[in-house]
Amino acid sequence: MIPGMDKYPARDYNFQDPMTPNKHMGPTAYAATQRIIGPARWKQALNRCAGSADPDALLSAVRDSGSGADPDYLAELIRLERAYALLSERADSIPVNVDRLTANPTVAVPSLGWSGLAGFLEPNPESAAASPEETPERLLLWFDPRSGRPRARQATNEDLLVLKMVLEEIPSEAVAAEGGLPIGAVDGAIERAVRQGFVLAPQSLLRRDPSVFTSRRDGDAEFLSTPSFTLQWHITQVCDLHCKHCYDRSDRSPLALDNALRVLDDLRAFCRSRNVQGAVSFTGGNPLLHPNFLEIYRAAADRNFGLAILGNPAPRRRLEEILSIAMPSFFQVSLEGLREHNDGIRGAGHFDRIMDFLDLLKELKVSSMVMLTLTSGNRDQVLPLAEALRDRTDAFHFNRLALFGEGANLAMTERNGYRRFLEEYLTAAETNPVMGTKDNLINVLLRERGMDLFGGCTGYGCGAAFNFVTLLADGEVHACRKLPSPIGNIRERTLGEIYDSDAAQRYRLGPSSCSGCDVRIACGGCLAVAKSSGLDIFSEKDPFCFKD
């Protein structure tokens, strides 16, 4: 427990609050009490107190109508049920928007003499297992605007600490320093409180330009702003493979450890200033070959970032070192088709090593993802490979080849018939749960079918310089990892300055030819494919687009 947290001045709930409406309570307001005393006595009690909303009057009526065998906690339960019912009546007091972290105005922290009473208030109270005990307990009551229902549970030390911080405007840095905690532990506690709804957070400031990205259906609006931001960090160019389609084999010296840690602090500052959750996807080269990978990974975990690894197979011992720090959201590896074709691209034996590694990830309960780069040589292998991966991975995706780096030596998949390929892929995905949808152009098919759009490549269509940027090993920042798209250098400018630059804004807007398209909000095609096809990516759309 953080020193001083036990002095938190909790607001005890006033069970006879002057704001209580003077009206009769519906029978469901005291559902647990009704079950305990039975329907006959409940009816008598209501008649005796003339349906009074006052819990003390109801308690007196219950006692007058009974045999004296009621449980000792009944009085406290009646008052608690009344308080719980009032939460819904106070839901209108919850603001839609706030400009800073704010305690939900419906929050109350009553101190009770009995523990376990919150179990009676659950939607299925019959599932409450433990019987109440006569021991002090502090509850947390609030109306959750996200779920649209009242909530009640035991108040934890973490809950009380977060409420103290919010009410007294104590910064996370001060609490972390006082308690000797990583700053991410404090940030994480706040985020959990926000997810549960008893603390309110400002809206994300990372929003699409409404003059370009317009919502055509109710479901489209979710793509207008992002609650998270990802730094895809190529921390090293060193790799243990030499794939035929590698888009960047340039020689770049990695940032020194102290500079790498400053990058993470800069990312945290950026995310806090834009009211979003930060994430880091470590890639390369092979990120695990960076000499300071574990130190950087731990530092990212200590700052409460979401973590992902895009790399190559690693031995069990190396994975266990990583997991001892923090579980990644996923570990992504690559396959380029079935065994013969894949090994021709990535090296002999690679296919079998990936399959064994996927089994290891599953054994260690690490979520896995397999990525394929779609070319003219492997399009007919996508569905067979997806079937082979059905029980080996958690997700399978593909990206189209962009002709950069050594990838220029291969051939893109044919435009002719690409729509048909996507339709066949979607059909197969209906019965194969690992097949994910990533290509933005799938949204064209969904809209034609009258279905809601999906998030496309990054969850927000083309997310270049919107909900992610790419950081190369030497500090260059690019809008997207798949094409040369420099927008700044982290050694020279902050992430916020780079994000707000005119260069980044141009990538965010995408091709002007997509303006007005009814799927633009979650599409934008692929800038890398357009660029490698010789097009002006700021004006001309993805050459594979088949929308009229």
Side-chain angles (χ1 to χ4, degrees):
M1 184 172 69
I2 304 298
M5 193 188 73
D6 55 330
K7 300 177 182 178
Y8 168 69
R11 290 190 297 138
D12 287 341
Y13 193 94
N14 184 348
F15 290 110
Q16 300 191 48
D17 193 294
M19 294 177 61
T20 299
N22 184 20
K23 64 180 182 179
H24 297 290
M25 293 294 291
T28 57
Y30 297 100
T33 301
Q34 292 181 57
R35 288 195 306 276
I36 291 171
I37 68 174
R41 284 187 61 202
W42 174 251
K43 185 175 181 179
Q44 292 179 35
L46 285 183
N47 290 335
R48 286 177 179 273
C49 68
S52 171
D54 176 47
D56 287 331
L58 178 60
L59 175 61
S60 178
V62 167
R63 286 172 171 166
D64 289 345
S65 64
S67 59
D70 297 324
D72 293 338
Y73 60 78
L74 185 61
E76 203 156 70
L77 176 61
I78 288 176
R79 293 187 174 91
L80 183 59
E81 285 197 278
R82 174 59 177 162
Y84 189 72
L86 285 176
L87 294 174
S88 295
E89 297 183 17
R90 293 177 177 170
D92 289 343
S93 68
I94 302 175
V96 176
N97 297 315
V98 294
D99 59 5
R100 63 173 66 86
L101 288 172
T102 305
N104 184 324
T106 67
V107 166
V109 189
S111 296
L112 306 181
W114 288 80
S115 63
L117 296 183
F120 288 107
L121 306 177
E122 294 299 308
N124 297 306
E126 294 83 358
S127 65
S131 299
E133 297 181 359
E134 195 171 6
T135 57
E137 182 176 66
R138 179 164 281 177
L139 290 187
L140 185 68
L141 302 178
W142 77 102
F143 187 91
D144 180 5
R146 297 193 175 193
S147 65
R149 69 178 182 87
R151 301 284 306 278
R153 62 170 172 76
Q154 182 183 22
T156 66
N157 288 340
E158 178 177 298
D159 299 334
L160 300 181
L161 171 60
V162 170
L163 286 172
K164 178 182 178 69
M165 291 175 61
V166 171
L167 291 171
E168 300 181 15
E169 298 184 347
I170 303 172
S172 297
E173 291 80 1
V175 175
E178 185 177 5
L181 295 172
I183 189 68
V186 182
D187 288 347
I190 295 172
E191 287 168 10
R192 285 188 287 274
V194 171
R195 285 198 298 270
Q196 294 176 73
F198 65 87
V199 169
L200 310 177
Q203 292 182 340
S204 167
L205 297 179
L206 300 187
R207 306 185 65 82
R208 291 291 198 184
D209 184 336
S211 67
V212 175
F213 298 84
T214 55
S215 176
R216 301 297 181 87
R217 288 166 52 122
D218 290 343
D220 295 353
E222 66 179 281
F223 304 113
L224 287 172
S225 67
T226 173
S228 61
F229 180 83
T230 298
L231 182 71
Q232 188 175 64
W233 193 351
H234 294 248
I235 60 174
T236 180
Q237 294 292 91
V238 177
C239 189
D240 46 341
L241 300 177
H242 193 127
C243 304
K244 290 183 178 179
H245 63 344
C246 183
Y247 52 84
D248 186 3
R249 298 291 296 182
S250 59
D251 184 16
R252 297 174 184 268
S253 298
L255 299 175
L257 180 58
D258 57 343
N259 287 331
L261 298 183
R262 279 195 285 273
V263 166
L264 295 175
D265 288 333
D266 186 17
L267 175 62
R268 178 176 178 269
F270 172 78
C271 291
R272 286 172 64 83
S273 70
R274 310 304 167 101
N275 306 325
V276 294
Q277 167 64 32
V280 182
S281 290
F282 291 102
T283 184
N286 184 354
L288 303 190
L289 298 182
H290 190 289
N292 300 119
F293 173 76
L294 289 179
E295 292 94 330
I296 298 172
Y297 187 83
R298 183 185 301 277
D302 285 348
R303 287 156 178 78
N304 193 44
F305 293 136
L307 304 170
I309 300 173
L310 287 62
N312 299 331
R316 174 188 290 270
R317 176 184 55 79
R318 184 64 160 165
L319 275 180
E320 289 175 342
E321 288 178 331
I322 294 169
L323 299 185
S324 70
I325 297 172
M327 175 72 74
S329 299
F330 60 88
F331 195 119
Q332 178 180 301
V333 293
S334 296
L335 285 173
E336 307 310 331
L338 300 176
R339 181 181 286 103
E340 181 178 357
H341 181 84
N342 175 81
D343 288 3
I345 298 292
R346 291 188 170 266
H350 178 266
F351 185 91
D352 291 332
R353 289 198 300 276
I354 289 291
M355 288 300 194
D356 291 342
F357 186 61
L358 292 174
D359 292 340
L360 176 60
L361 291 174
K362 180 176 291 189
E363 179 186 340
L364 296 177
K365 300 184 176 4
V366 179
S367 179
S368 66
M369 184 182 299
V370 175
M371 179 62 68
L372 174 142
T373 299
L374 188 68
T375 69
S376 64
N378 66 5
R379 194 160 96 176
D380 62 343
Q381 298 185 37
V382 171
L383 299 187
L385 178 61
E387 190 60 32
L389 293 170
R390 177 186 289 269
D391 299 318
R392 304 295 281 269
T393 188
D394 296 295
F396 169 69
H397 296 280
F398 68 87
N399 271 324
R400 282 175 280 149
L401 173 71
L403 303 178
F404 295 107
E406 297 183 12
N409 296 322
L410 301 180
M412 288 192 291
T413 187
E414 298 79 5
R415 301 177 198 177
N416 181 38
Y418 189 62
R419 175 191 177 111
R420 185 172 62 255
F421 166 75
L422 291 182
E423 291 173 334
E424 293 171 350
Y425 185 91
L426 287 178
T427 298
E430 292 176 359
T431 57
N432 188 338
V434 306
M435 294 176 65
T437 49
K438 191 172 180 66
D439 194 309
N440 291 332
L441 296 182
I442 290 174
N443 277 312
V444 178
L445 299 177
L446 297 181
R447 183 52 42 99
E448 288 178 357
R449 300 174 185 183
M451 301 169 64
D452 286 338
L453 305 180
F454 82 112
C457 184
T458 69
Y460 294 85
C462 177
F466 174 56
N467 67 322
F468 83 96
V469 295
T470 292
L471 174 62
L472 301 186
D474 61 357
E476 274 191 21
V477 179
H478 288 243
C480 174
R481 68 180 179 87
K482 293 179 62 181
L483 77 159
S485 49
I487 55 176
N489 194 302
I490 204 71
R491 294 175 182 268
E492 302 165 359
R493 306 172 73 187
T494 68
L495 187 56
E497 291 170 336
I498 294 172
Y499 188 91
D500 293 335
S501 67
D502 291 340
Q505 173 68 358
R506 290 189 72 194
Y507 285 100
R508 273 197 291 281
L509 294 177
S512 58
S513 59
C514 290
S515 298
C517 176
D518 63 350
V519 300
R520 176 66 187 94
I521 198 168
C523 186
C526 178
L527 298 181
V529 169
K531 179 75 172 178
S532 66
S533 299
L535 302 180
D536 179 353
I537 61 174
F538 301 119
S539 62
E540 298 178 274
K541 68 178 183 178
D542 186 330
F544 282 75
C545 179
F546 46 81
K547 185 173 176 58
D548 295 334

